[in-house]
mmCIF file of all heavy atoms in Angstrom:
data_model
loop_
_atom_site.group_PDB
_atom_site.id
_atom_site.type_symbol
_atom_site.label_atom_id
_atom_site.label_comp_id
_atom_site.label_asym_id
_atom_site.label_seq_id
_atom_site.Cartn_x
_atom_site.Cartn_y
_atom_site.Cartn_z
ATOM 1 N N LYS A 665 1.899 24.983 -27.288
ATOM 2 C CA LYS A 665 2.907 24.178 -27.095
ATOM 3 C C LYS A 665 2.551 23.073 -26.061
ATOM 4 O O LYS A 665 2.908 21.862 -26.186
ATOM 5 C CB LYS A 665 4.062 24.952 -26.398
ATOM 6 C CG LYS A 665 4.763 25.925 -27.462
ATOM 7 C CD LYS A 665 5.841 26.803 -26.583
ATOM 8 C CE LYS A 665 6.486 27.836 -27.580
ATOM 9 N NZ LYS A 665 7.397 28.736 -26.887
ATOM 10 N N GLN A 666 1.599 23.410 -25.235
ATOM 11 C CA GLN A 666 1.116 22.412 -24.184
ATOM 12 C C GLN A 666 0.287 21.417 -24.894
ATOM 13 O O GLN A 666 0.242 20.237 -24.700
ATOM 14 C CB GLN A 666 0.351 23.101 -23.154
ATOM 15 C CG GLN A 666 1.047 24.110 -22.306
ATOM 16 C CD GLN A 666 1.697 23.401 -21.096
ATOM 17 O OE1 GLN A 666 1.175 22.565 -20.350
ATOM 18 N NE2 GLN A 666 3.041 23.834 -20.924
ATOM 19 N N ILE A 667 -0.591 21.871 -25.912
ATOM 20 C CA ILE A 667 -1.458 21.039 -26.703
ATOM 21 C C ILE A 667 -0.569 19.987 -27.462
ATOM 22 O O ILE A 667 -0.879 18.765 -27.699
ATOM 23 C CB ILE A 667 -2.393 21.830 -27.647
ATOM 24 C CG1 ILE A 667 -3.261 22.675 -26.901
ATOM 25 C CG2 ILE A 667 -3.036 20.814 -28.626
ATOM 26 C CD1 ILE A 667 -4.294 21.762 -26.004
ATOM 27 N N VAL A 668 0.528 20.495 -28.131
ATOM 28 C CA VAL A 668 1.485 19.618 -28.781
ATOM 29 C C VAL A 668 1.955 18.465 -27.961
ATOM 30 O O VAL A 668 2.077 17.380 -28.249
ATOM 31 C CB VAL A 668 2.560 20.398 -29.462
ATOM 32 C CG1 VAL A 668 3.637 19.363 -30.124
ATOM 33 C CG2 VAL A 668 2.041 21.338 -30.593
ATOM 34 N N GLY A 669 2.406 18.923 -26.641
ATOM 35 C CA GLY A 669 2.874 17.973 -25.665
ATOM 36 C C GLY A 669 1.883 16.945 -25.253
ATOM 37 O O GLY A 669 2.035 15.727 -25.154
ATOM 38 N N VAL A 670 0.553 17.374 -25.123
ATOM 39 C CA VAL A 670 -0.553 16.444 -24.788
ATOM 40 C C VAL A 670 -0.700 15.521 -25.898
ATOM 41 O O VAL A 670 -0.850 14.311 -25.765
ATOM 42 C CB VAL A 670 -1.835 17.218 -24.654
ATOM 43 C CG1 VAL A 670 -3.112 16.366 -24.781
ATOM 44 C CG2 VAL A 670 -1.756 17.922 -23.342
ATOM 45 N N GLY A 671 -0.510 15.999 -27.271
ATOM 46 C CA GLY A 671 -0.744 15.098 -28.547
ATOM 47 C C GLY A 671 0.290 14.033 -28.391
ATOM 48 O O GLY A 671 0.060 12.878 -28.653
ATOM 49 N N LEU A 672 1.572 14.417 -28.152
ATOM 50 C CA LEU A 672 2.689 13.432 -28.221
ATOM 51 C C LEU A 672 2.425 12.364 -27.036
ATOM 52 O O LEU A 672 2.671 11.208 -27.294
ATOM 53 C CB LEU A 672 4.012 14.244 -27.986
ATOM 54 C CG LEU A 672 4.435 15.047 -29.190
ATOM 55 C CD1 LEU A 672 5.520 15.938 -28.869
ATOM 56 C CD2 LEU A 672 4.675 14.226 -30.431
ATOM 57 N N MET A 673 2.120 12.911 -25.911
ATOM 58 C CA MET A 673 1.865 11.971 -24.767
ATOM 59 C C MET A 673 0.765 11.026 -24.963
ATOM 60 O O MET A 673 0.536 10.090 -24.463
ATOM 61 C CB MET A 673 1.581 12.819 -23.573
ATOM 62 C CG MET A 673 2.823 13.402 -22.970
ATOM 63 S SD MET A 673 3.964 12.435 -22.172
ATOM 64 C CE MET A 673 5.132 13.568 -21.552
ATOM 65 N N GLY A 674 -0.245 11.431 -25.968
ATOM 66 C CA GLY A 674 -1.223 10.536 -26.188
ATOM 67 C C GLY A 674 -0.997 9.259 -26.793
ATOM 68 O O GLY A 674 -1.677 8.260 -26.798
ATOM 69 N N GLY A 675 0.325 9.084 -27.340
ATOM 70 C CA GLY A 675 0.847 7.900 -27.911
ATOM 71 C C GLY A 675 1.126 6.851 -26.939
ATOM 72 O O GLY A 675 1.493 5.625 -27.333
ATOM 73 N N LEU A 676 1.014 7.183 -25.607
ATOM 74 C CA LEU A 676 1.315 6.150 -24.559
ATOM 75 C C LEU A 676 0.163 5.242 -24.422
ATOM 76 O O LEU A 676 -0.805 5.545 -23.738
ATOM 77 C CB LEU A 676 1.597 6.933 -23.274
ATOM 78 C CG LEU A 676 2.988 7.454 -23.128
ATOM 79 C CD1 LEU A 676 2.936 8.781 -22.275
ATOM 80 C CD2 LEU A 676 3.936 6.574 -22.443
ATOM 81 N N GLY A 677 0.100 4.141 -25.140
ATOM 82 C CA GLY A 677 -1.094 3.213 -25.132
ATOM 83 C C GLY A 677 -1.030 2.241 -24.059
ATOM 84 O O GLY A 677 -1.956 1.932 -23.406
ATOM 85 N N PHE A 678 0.045 1.680 -23.914
ATOM 86 C CA PHE A 678 0.429 0.560 -22.994
ATOM 87 C C PHE A 678 -0.737 -0.308 -22.491
ATOM 88 O O PHE A 678 -1.095 -1.184 -23.165
ATOM 89 C CB PHE A 678 1.262 1.106 -21.774
ATOM 90 C CG PHE A 678 2.049 0.082 -21.090
ATOM 91 C CD1 PHE A 678 3.065 -0.366 -21.731
ATOM 92 C CD2 PHE A 678 1.694 -0.379 -19.807
ATOM 93 C CE1 PHE A 678 3.848 -1.565 -20.987
ATOM 94 C CE2 PHE A 678 2.462 -1.292 -19.212
ATOM 95 C CZ PHE A 678 3.472 -1.847 -19.805
ATOM 96 N N THR A 679 -1.293 -0.014 -21.380
ATOM 97 C CA THR A 679 -2.286 -0.912 -20.630
ATOM 98 C C THR A 679 -3.492 -1.375 -21.653
ATOM 99 O O THR A 679 -3.706 -2.473 -21.968
ATOM 100 C CB THR A 679 -2.810 -0.512 -19.386
ATOM 101 O OG1 THR A 679 -1.723 -0.106 -18.641
ATOM 102 C CG2 THR A 679 -3.661 -1.386 -18.630
ATOM 103 N N MET A 680 -4.011 -0.377 -22.066
ATOM 104 C CA MET A 680 -5.412 -0.561 -22.896
ATOM 105 C C MET A 680 -5.009 -1.127 -24.231
ATOM 106 O O MET A 680 -5.606 -1.993 -24.756
ATOM 107 C CB MET A 680 -6.152 0.746 -23.119
ATOM 108 C CG MET A 680 -6.743 1.354 -21.871
ATOM 109 S SD MET A 680 -8.055 0.341 -21.241
ATOM 110 C CE MET A 680 -9.334 0.593 -22.352
ATOM 111 N N SER A 681 -3.863 -0.726 -24.738
ATOM 112 C CA SER A 681 -3.562 -1.175 -26.152
ATOM 113 C C SER A 681 -3.071 -2.700 -26.070
ATOM 114 O O SER A 681 -3.477 -3.446 -26.865
ATOM 115 C CB SER A 681 -2.319 -0.433 -26.594
ATOM 116 O OG SER A 681 -2.593 0.855 -26.988
ATOM 117 N N ILE A 682 -2.254 -3.057 -24.978
ATOM 118 C CA ILE A 682 -2.034 -4.440 -24.786
ATOM 119 C C ILE A 682 -3.293 -5.329 -24.638
ATOM 120 O O ILE A 682 -3.383 -6.304 -25.063
ATOM 121 C CB ILE A 682 -1.072 -4.683 -23.537
ATOM 122 C CG1 ILE A 682 0.310 -4.094 -23.942
ATOM 123 C CG2 ILE A 682 -0.910 -5.967 -23.083
ATOM 124 C CD1 ILE A 682 1.358 -4.150 -22.700
ATOM 125 N N LEU A 683 -4.267 -4.724 -23.835
ATOM 126 C CA LEU A 683 -5.490 -5.451 -23.566
ATOM 127 C C LEU A 683 -6.284 -5.744 -24.912
ATOM 128 O O LEU A 683 -6.656 -6.830 -25.167
ATOM 129 C CB LEU A 683 -6.353 -4.759 -22.619
ATOM 130 C CG LEU A 683 -7.737 -5.265 -22.345
ATOM 131 C CD1 LEU A 683 -7.679 -6.594 -21.632
ATOM 132 C CD2 LEU A 683 -8.580 -4.310 -21.451
ATOM 133 N N ILE A 684 -6.425 -4.716 -25.717
ATOM 134 C CA ILE A 684 -6.957 -4.758 -27.110
ATOM 135 C C ILE A 684 -6.289 -5.784 -27.957
ATOM 136 O O ILE A 684 -6.894 -6.543 -28.681
ATOM 137 C CB ILE A 684 -7.187 -3.369 -27.712
ATOM 138 C CG1 ILE A 684 -8.038 -2.529 -26.761
ATOM 139 C CG2 ILE A 684 -7.780 -3.570 -29.107
ATOM 140 C CD1 ILE A 684 -8.241 -1.098 -27.274
ATOM 141 N N ALA A 685 -4.992 -5.760 -27.928
ATOM 142 C CA ALA A 685 -4.104 -6.579 -28.707
ATOM 143 C C ALA A 685 -4.287 -7.974 -28.426
ATOM 144 O O ALA A 685 -4.490 -8.945 -29.349
ATOM 145 C CB ALA A 685 -2.640 -6.220 -28.621
ATOM 146 N N GLY A 686 -4.472 -8.286 -27.122
ATOM 147 C CA GLY A 686 -4.741 -9.673 -26.741
ATOM 148 C C GLY A 686 -6.154 -10.273 -27.132
ATOM 149 O O GLY A 686 -6.357 -11.321 -27.376
ATOM 150 N N LEU A 687 -7.147 -9.247 -27.447
ATOM 151 C CA LEU A 687 -8.535 -9.549 -27.922
ATOM 152 C C LEU A 687 -8.447 -9.549 -29.392
ATOM 153 O O LEU A 687 -9.276 -10.444 -30.029
ATOM 154 C CB LEU A 687 -9.429 -8.605 -27.396
ATOM 155 C CG LEU A 687 -9.577 -8.404 -25.879
ATOM 156 C CD1 LEU A 687 -10.582 -7.203 -25.707
ATOM 157 C CD2 LEU A 687 -10.225 -9.686 -25.362
ATOM 158 N N ALA A 688 -7.661 -8.864 -30.092
ATOM 159 C CA ALA A 688 -7.689 -8.622 -31.577
ATOM 160 C C ALA A 688 -6.892 -9.807 -32.257
ATOM 161 O O ALA A 688 -7.310 -10.237 -33.383
ATOM 162 C CB ALA A 688 -7.116 -7.226 -31.951
ATOM 163 N N PHE A 689 -5.695 -10.300 -31.719
ATOM 164 C CA PHE A 689 -4.949 -11.177 -32.449
ATOM 165 C C PHE A 689 -4.882 -12.542 -31.816
ATOM 166 O O PHE A 689 -5.006 -12.622 -30.544
ATOM 167 C CB PHE A 689 -3.448 -10.559 -32.450
ATOM 168 C CG PHE A 689 -3.309 -9.255 -33.116
ATOM 169 C CD1 PHE A 689 -2.966 -8.167 -32.380
ATOM 170 C CD2 PHE A 689 -3.635 -9.067 -34.514
ATOM 171 C CE1 PHE A 689 -2.833 -6.898 -33.027
ATOM 172 C CE2 PHE A 689 -3.477 -7.927 -35.107
ATOM 173 C CZ PHE A 689 -3.129 -6.731 -34.360
ATOM 174 N N THR A 690 -4.856 -13.532 -32.661
ATOM 175 C CA THR A 690 -4.763 -14.958 -32.120
ATOM 176 C C THR A 690 -3.501 -15.681 -32.675
ATOM 177 O O THR A 690 -3.043 -16.594 -32.101
ATOM 178 C CB THR A 690 -6.025 -15.717 -32.618
ATOM 179 O OG1 THR A 690 -6.167 -15.609 -34.071
ATOM 180 C CG2 THR A 690 -7.225 -15.141 -31.906
ATOM 181 N N VAL A 691 -2.919 -15.112 -33.853
ATOM 182 C CA VAL A 691 -1.708 -15.593 -34.329
ATOM 183 C C VAL A 691 -0.583 -15.107 -33.559
ATOM 184 O O VAL A 691 -0.428 -13.797 -33.321
ATOM 185 C CB VAL A 691 -1.581 -15.207 -35.866
ATOM 186 C CG1 VAL A 691 -0.243 -15.716 -36.504
ATOM 187 C CG2 VAL A 691 -2.687 -15.621 -36.650
ATOM 188 N N GLU A 692 0.310 -15.980 -33.102
ATOM 189 C CA GLU A 692 1.413 -15.689 -32.333
ATOM 190 C C GLU A 692 2.302 -14.544 -32.848
ATOM 191 O O GLU A 692 2.752 -13.666 -32.065
ATOM 192 C CB GLU A 692 2.282 -16.912 -31.974
ATOM 193 C CG GLU A 692 3.297 -16.746 -30.781
ATOM 194 C CD GLU A 692 2.675 -16.426 -29.504
ATOM 195 O OE1 GLU A 692 1.527 -17.013 -29.296
ATOM 196 O OE2 GLU A 692 3.203 -15.698 -28.659
ATOM 197 N N SER A 693 2.561 -14.659 -34.172
ATOM 198 C CA SER A 693 3.519 -13.647 -34.657
ATOM 199 C C SER A 693 2.890 -12.185 -34.729
ATOM 200 O O SER A 693 3.548 -11.242 -34.548
ATOM 201 C CB SER A 693 3.816 -14.126 -36.224
ATOM 202 O OG SER A 693 2.559 -14.036 -36.977
ATOM 203 N N GLU A 694 1.573 -12.099 -34.844
ATOM 204 C CA GLU A 694 0.963 -10.833 -34.784
ATOM 205 C C GLU A 694 0.794 -10.312 -33.392
ATOM 206 O O GLU A 694 0.966 -9.166 -33.234
ATOM 207 C CB GLU A 694 -0.562 -10.953 -35.278
ATOM 208 C CG GLU A 694 -0.683 -11.334 -36.835
ATOM 209 C CD GLU A 694 -2.092 -11.636 -37.289
ATOM 210 O OE1 GLU A 694 -3.015 -11.731 -36.377
ATOM 211 O OE2 GLU A 694 -2.291 -11.664 -38.540
ATOM 212 N N VAL A 695 0.606 -11.183 -32.386
ATOM 213 C CA VAL A 695 0.767 -10.794 -31.002
ATOM 214 C C VAL A 695 2.106 -10.146 -30.631
ATOM 215 O O VAL A 695 2.198 -9.170 -30.027
ATOM 216 C CB VAL A 695 0.327 -11.903 -29.983
ATOM 217 C CG1 VAL A 695 0.496 -11.440 -28.628
ATOM 218 C CG2 VAL A 695 -1.086 -12.406 -30.302
ATOM 219 N N LEU A 696 3.146 -10.944 -31.091
ATOM 220 C CA LEU A 696 4.539 -10.437 -30.842
ATOM 221 C C LEU A 696 4.696 -9.173 -31.448
ATOM 222 O O LEU A 696 5.228 -8.175 -30.868
ATOM 223 C CB LEU A 696 5.480 -11.402 -31.368
ATOM 224 C CG LEU A 696 7.021 -11.048 -31.211
ATOM 225 C CD1 LEU A 696 7.272 -11.035 -29.764
ATOM 226 C CD2 LEU A 696 7.942 -12.138 -31.871
#
Side-chain angles (χ1 to χ4, degrees):
K665 293 177 182 178
Q666 299 272 320
I667 294 297
V668 173
V670 166
L672 292 170
M673 290 291 186
L676 284 146
F678 203 66
T679 306
M680 292 294 285
S681 291
I682 289 178
L683 180 62
I684 296 175
L687 300 173
F689 300 115
T690 55
V691 179
E692 192 63 34
S693 61
E694 295 176 348
V695 174
L696 177 62

